[in-house]
Amino acid sequence: MKKILLSTIAVFALAACEDPYNRSGVGFTGIDGEPRTVSDVPSAVAFLPDATNIPAELAVLPAIPVVTDQTETEKVARVAIDNGGRSDTNAVVLTGSDMNLFLSTVSVNGTLFGVLRTANNSTRIDNDIGAAFGQNAEQFTGCLPAGDVFRKGSSTRSSGFAVALNCS
């Protein structure tokens, strides 16, 4: 009985030393499950806010509605590229090393497209960027790609890319 009582007292004594309001450390803490890390700056936020999340920024912007009489998927995708956002009011600006790209969602005849485009049609980027956009569409838009990536441009450089999205 003494061994049980002694170990119980030791556990309670050690538990009393911990500050219940101390939330510093590494890992998941609290009910909300936000990852927290030790910050180098006193009273600084130790995790990234949702505002730096590209799909969250894109979700705030409404999809650009477009109606066309085109029925072929490639032509509908080109209409989506032509109508994709070109400013920070209707697109998320992705800052690159040499130019900015604009990510937006366009609803053409009820089909939602994720559109990645340059500021104007005369500026061109490598088609490898479009392939990477198609492979990582879920990370950029929060929706699964529902088809191939379509481009507007030449065989090596394009001014925009579009991929149909499945957000259900």
Side-chain angles (χ1 to χ4, degrees):
M1 182 70 168
K2 290 180 184 179
K3 291 181 183 178
I4 294 174
L5 186 58
L6 184 60
S7 62
T8 305
I9 292 173
V11 169
F12 283 133
L14 289 175
C17 295
E18 175 61 28
D19 181 13
Y21 298 107
N22 180 10
R23 299 206 176 253
S24 64
V26 177
F28 292 96
T29 61
I31 296 172
D32 57 357
E34 291 291 332
R36 301 186 191 265
T37 59
V38 176
S39 175
D40 294 336
V41 180
S43 72
V45 177
F47 61 90
L48 295 177
D50 293 337
T52 59
N53 188 347
I54 293 173
E57 290 181 34
L58 188 62
V60 173
L61 300 172
I64 301 167
V66 179
V67 177
T68 183
D69 58 350
Q70 301 292 335
T71 57
E72 294 181 41
T73 308
E74 184 175 353
K75 292 181 180 179
V76 171
R78 285 188 182 203
V79 170
I81 294 169
D82 287 337
N83 291 284
R86 296 180 187 168
S87 70
D88 59 353
T89 59
N90 57 6
V92 176
V93 181
L94 304 175
T95 305
S97 59
D98 56 348
M99 77 175 69
N100 292 338
L101 297 176
F102 298 91
L103 176 65
S104 61
T105 53
V106 179
S107 176
V108 182
N109 296 341
T111 303
L112 188 65
F113 285 90
V115 176
L116 182 67
R117 61 166 299 132
T118 59
N120 54 43
N121 290 335
S122 62
T123 306
R124 305 290 175 126
I125 55 176
D126 288 332
N127 287 339
D128 294 339
I129 293 174
F133 170 62
Q135 291 173 348
N136 300 312
E138 184 177 6
Q139 293 173 352
F140 284 113
T141 63
C143 300
L144 294 172
D148 295 330
V149 177
F150 297 96
R151 62 180 165 76
K152 182 177 181 186
S154 67
S155 61
T156 57
R157 298 178 68 79
S158 299
S159 61
F161 305 96
V163 62
L165 299 175
N166 179 7
C167 296
S168 57

